[in-house]
């Protein structure tokens, strides 16, 4: 009996050891060092110059175990070019309740991709101010797979404001290099979704020290892509002072300016000397966030605001349902600041349903009275559909074409005529022959062309001369003929890997799904905050068309999460 008890006890120890060993293997995240909180209810300050974090060498990895934390601050972490210090979640999701701050750090990567089962492995659940704040002369920072929600101000902010008593913060002494933000999900912020760069001025500054202007720093090399931004109180996305090697692409902004604050309710605001390439983005305004002013000229929110830029290439973008203009363009720089070899290029965009003219170009400088008639501006191959402007009914120089592409003066319009070519102007979405413009699912692919559409083969020339050769979905431009107008090339095969059309009858929502791939997976419907409300499917999905029904669906704004094999995507639906 004694030996039996001992054997039973040893067996239990062996089993527990195996379980613990397996668990440790499951959380083997490749950590150089693992964080252990000593302040679970307060601010956790991790200082790269102090023990134990000073043991991290370039290329090292600091793991944050899954769990809840009040606030995290990363200070003085410095990797090297090509070998950043990586900070990531391990073993599951890391959640903070008052944000994350990065200070005095360089060559740093903060990643929520530390566990295979969680797309956004770091979640900033709420913050009194900004959710993720990169400041304090930080540079060379990458942010990935992070969810930010319910912030008192911006979702993600990256900038160091110039201060009189800190000359290191002045433009002439500091540049932020290599900012990369991708695969993040930002929603329900009080301020901007992303706030990148100081907004106090590019050519002139609103900050003075001893009577002398000081300027905010510039950004060089910026990559912002594959982010989802939903329901922001102010602008969905704001980028300033990004003057070199800038690429912003494949981002989605749905619902912006929920606070309805004047001059802070754009889907995007690109300003302060920013120039680069902005392509294959989707911006959609929800009706509930528009103001109800009867006079359309009292409306403030546009899809895109562009100010004070040099060479700006804007192509393959889809902008839908803007309160004011789809694209509102300033050129505030004085002639002495402009390089007249550069210019604006608006090519192959799809613009649908703006309340005023779809594109408005306001050239007047705020620094001197010139209209810069020689400034290069190209408007080619855009598909402009269903603006509600009525210039043709007024007794001015403006006519029907200005309902679509408008200028602040007749001389500017006349000077630009040679640069306005092969744009397709259509009065209604029905006439445009879109794939499914009335879809309850909010998706850029709703605005693909179908057989017989006016936009097919209607474009001008070879888009390669402007630096791109594919459309929104990566399909080659102009195959077998001229490029199509708008963001999409017509093709029976030109569609997303998963396309969903939804319609509502009573309390039932019917989803017609077209899958281009097969595999084990699921389709779940969640509230924006993450609570699951319905599971449409779980199991093996075969490529082809399928129909799923959601009975007793309630009105609201939802997110549909789809996973098939290794492929995952999200869609949004307004019921």
């Amino acid at each position: 009996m004694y030996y039996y008890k001992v054997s039973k006890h040893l067996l239990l120890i062996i089993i527990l050891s195996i379980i613990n060993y397996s668990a440790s293997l499951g959380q083997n995240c490749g950590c150089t060092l693992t964080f252990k909180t000593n302040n679970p209810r307060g601010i956790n300050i991790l200082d790269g110059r102090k023990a134990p974090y000073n043991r991290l060498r370039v290329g090292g990895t600091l793991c944050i175990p899954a769990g809840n934390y009040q606030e995290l601050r990363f200070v003085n972490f410095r990797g090297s070019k090509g070998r950043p210090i990586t900070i990531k979640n391990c073993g599951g999701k890391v959640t903070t309740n008052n944000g994350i701050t990065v200070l005095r750090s360089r060559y740093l990567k903060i990643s929520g991709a530390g566990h295979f089962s969680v797309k956004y492995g770091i979640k900033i659940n709420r913050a009194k101010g900004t959710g993720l704040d990169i400041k304090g002369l930080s540079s060379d920072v990458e942010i990935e797979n992070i969810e930010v929600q319910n912030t008192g101000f911006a979702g993600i902010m990256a900038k160091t404001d110039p201060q009189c008593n800190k000359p290191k913060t002045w433009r002439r002494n500091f540049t932020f290099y290599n900012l990369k933000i991708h695969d993040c999900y930002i929603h329900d912020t009080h301020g901007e979704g992303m706030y990148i760069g100081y907004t106090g001025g590019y050519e002139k500054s609103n900050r003075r020290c001893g009577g002398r202007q000081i300027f905010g720093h510039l950004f060089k090399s910026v990559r912002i892509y594959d982010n989802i931004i939903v329901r922001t109180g102010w602008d969905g996305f704001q980028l300033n002072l990004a003057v070199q090697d800038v690429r912003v692409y494949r981002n989605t902004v749905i619902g912006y300016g929920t606070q309805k604050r004047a001059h802070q309710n754009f889907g995007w605001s690109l300003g302060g000397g920013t120039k680069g390439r902005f392509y294959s983005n989707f911006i959609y305004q929800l009706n509930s966030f528009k103001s109800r002013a009867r006079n359309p000229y009292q409306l403030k929110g546009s899809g895109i605001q562009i100010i004070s830029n040099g060479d700006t290439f804007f192509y393959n973008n889809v902008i839908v349902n803007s309160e004011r203009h789809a694209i509102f363009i300033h050129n505030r720089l004085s002639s002495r600041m402009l390089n007249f070899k550069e210019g604006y290029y608006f090519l192959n965009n799809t613009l649908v349903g703006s309340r005023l003219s779809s594109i408005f170009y306001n050239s007047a400088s705020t620094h001197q009275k010139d209209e810069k008639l020689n400034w290069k501006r190209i408007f080619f191959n855009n598909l402009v559909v269903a603006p509600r402007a009525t210039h043709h009914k007024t007794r001015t120089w403006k006519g029907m074409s200005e309902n679509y592409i408008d200028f602040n003066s007749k001389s500017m319009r006349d000077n630009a005529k040679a640069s306005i070519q092969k744009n397709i102007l259509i009065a209604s979405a029905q006439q445009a022959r879109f794939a499914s413009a009335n879809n309850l699912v909010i998706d850029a692919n709703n605005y693909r062309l179908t057989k017989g559409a006016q936009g097919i083969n209607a474009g001008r020339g070879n888009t390669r001369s402007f630096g791109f050769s594919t459309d929104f979905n990566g399909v080659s431009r102009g195959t077998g003929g001229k490029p199509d107008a708008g963001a999409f090339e017509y093709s029976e095969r030109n569609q997303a890997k998963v396309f969903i059309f939804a319609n509502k009858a009573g309390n039932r929502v019917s989803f017609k799904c077209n899958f281009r791939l097969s595999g084990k997976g699921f389709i779940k419907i969640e509230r924006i905050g993450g609570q699951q409300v319905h599971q449409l499917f779980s199991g093996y999905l075969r490529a082809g068309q399928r129909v799923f029904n959601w009975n007793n669906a309630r009105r609201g704004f939802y997110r549909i999460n789809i996973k098939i094999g290794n492929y995952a995507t999200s869609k949004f639906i307004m019921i």
Side-chain angles (χ1 to χ4, degrees), residues 509 511 513 523-525 534-538 548-550 560:
V509 178
F511 296 88
C513 306
I523 306 174
K524 298 178 181 178
I525 299 175
H534 188 71
Q535 182 159 302
L536 278 179
F537 181 82
S538 179
F548 304 99
N549 291 316
W550 179 16
I560 306 170

Side-chain angles (χ1 to χ4, degrees), residues 343-363:
Y344 291 131
Y345 301 83
F346 296 91
L347 311 158
N348 288 97
N349 300 291
T350 296
L351 313 175
V352 183
S354 57
R355 178 62 180 86
L356 298 181
S357 54
S358 296
I359 299 173
F360 182 72
Y361 186 91
N362 181 2
S363 62

Side-chain angles (χ1 to χ4, degrees), residues 54 133 146 271 376 385 437 496 519:
N54 58 357
D133 201 354
I146 291 178
K376 187 185 298 182
V385 179

Side-chain angles (χ1 to χ4, degrees), residues 305-338:
Q305 173 182 240
I306 301 175
I307 56 177
S308 305
N309 305 318
D311 253 357
T312 298
F313 292 82
F314 198 81
Y315 54 91
N316 288 348
N317 299 287
V318 181
I319 305 175
V320 180
N321 205 30
S322 304
E323 178 181 323
R324 194 171 169 84
H325 306 284
I327 303 175
F328 181 49
I329 310 159
H330 292 284
N331 192 346
R332 292 182 179 177
L333 300 185
S334 62
S335 294
R336 66 181 178 83
M337 287 291 291
L338 290 171

Side-chain angles (χ1 to χ4, degrees), residues 210-407:
R212 180 178 58 180
Q213 291 183 97
I214 62 170
F215 293 84
H217 66 81
L218 304 178
F219 287 81
K220 295 183 178 180
S221 189
V222 174
R223 298 289 185 272
I224 299 174
Y225 58 95
D226 290 332
N227 301 288
I228 299 172
I229 302 173
V230 178
R231 295 198 308 197
T232 61
W234 291 12
D235 302 335
F237 171 81
Q238 180 172 274
L239 178 62
N240 303 281
L241 305 178
V243 299
Q244 182 178 303
D245 189 27
V246 177
R247 302 286 186 275
V248 179
Y249 55 98
R250 295 198 308 258
N251 300 285
T252 295
V253 175
I254 298 176
Y256 48 89
T258 66
Q259 300 291 325
K260 300 180 181 178
R261 179 163 176 167
H263 314 301
Q264 300 287 354
N265 52 1
F266 299 97
W268 281 16
S269 181
L270 306 177
T274 296
K275 59 182 181 179
R277 291 184 173 269
F278 306 87
Y279 55 95
S280 300
N281 300 285
F282 178 45
I283 301 171
Y284 186 99
Q285 179 61 308
L286 299 169
N287 288 329
S288 56
F289 301 144
K290 295 182 179 181
S291 65
R292 298 186 179 181
R294 291 187 178 181
N295 183 346
Y297 294 95
Q298 293 178 348
L299 304 174
K300 299 297 182 183
S302 293
I304 297 281
Q305 173 182 240
I306 301 175
I307 56 177
S308 305
N309 305 318
D311 253 357
T312 298
F313 292 82
F314 198 81
Y315 54 91
N316 288 348
N317 299 287
V318 181
I319 305 175
V320 180
N321 205 30
S322 304
E323 178 181 323
R324 194 171 169 84
H325 306 284
I327 303 175
F328 181 49
I329 310 159
H330 292 284
N331 192 346
R332 292 182 179 177
L333 300 185
S334 62
S335 294
R336 66 181 178 83
M337 287 291 291
L338 290 171
N339 178 352
F340 281 85
K341 294 180 181 179
E342 297 184 340
Y344 291 131
Y345 301 83
F346 296 91
L347 311 158
N348 288 97
N349 300 291
T350 296
L351 313 175
V352 183
S354 57
R355 178 62 180 86
L356 298 181
S357 54
S358 296
I359 299 173
F360 182 72
Y361 186 91
N362 181 2
S363 62
S365 168
T366 57
H367 300 308
Q368 66 184 55
K369 292 183 178 179
D370 60 16
E371 288 193 328
K372 296 178 284 296
L373 293 178
N374 295 323
W375 177 249
K376 187 185 298 182
R377 54 208 160 266
I378 303 294
F379 302 94
F380 290 165
N381 302 353
N382 298 289
L383 180 60
V384 189
V385 179
R388 295 172 60 197
T390 55
H391 291 308
H392 61 292
K393 295 182 179 180
T394 62
R395 294 182 179 180
T396 68
W397 59 269
K398 296 185 180 184
M400 183 68 76
S401 62
E402 280 70 46
N403 293 338
Y404 297 87
I405 302 175
D406 193 12
F407 292 84

Side-chain angles (χ1 to χ4, degrees), residues 56 75 97 110 132 161 267 274 309 353 366 407 488 505 511-512 549:
L56 277 172
V75 186
N97 292 316
I110 299 180
L132 174 55
D161 288 344
T274 296
N309 305 318
T366 57
F407 292 84
F488 296 94
F511 296 88
K512 296 179 181 179
N549 291 316

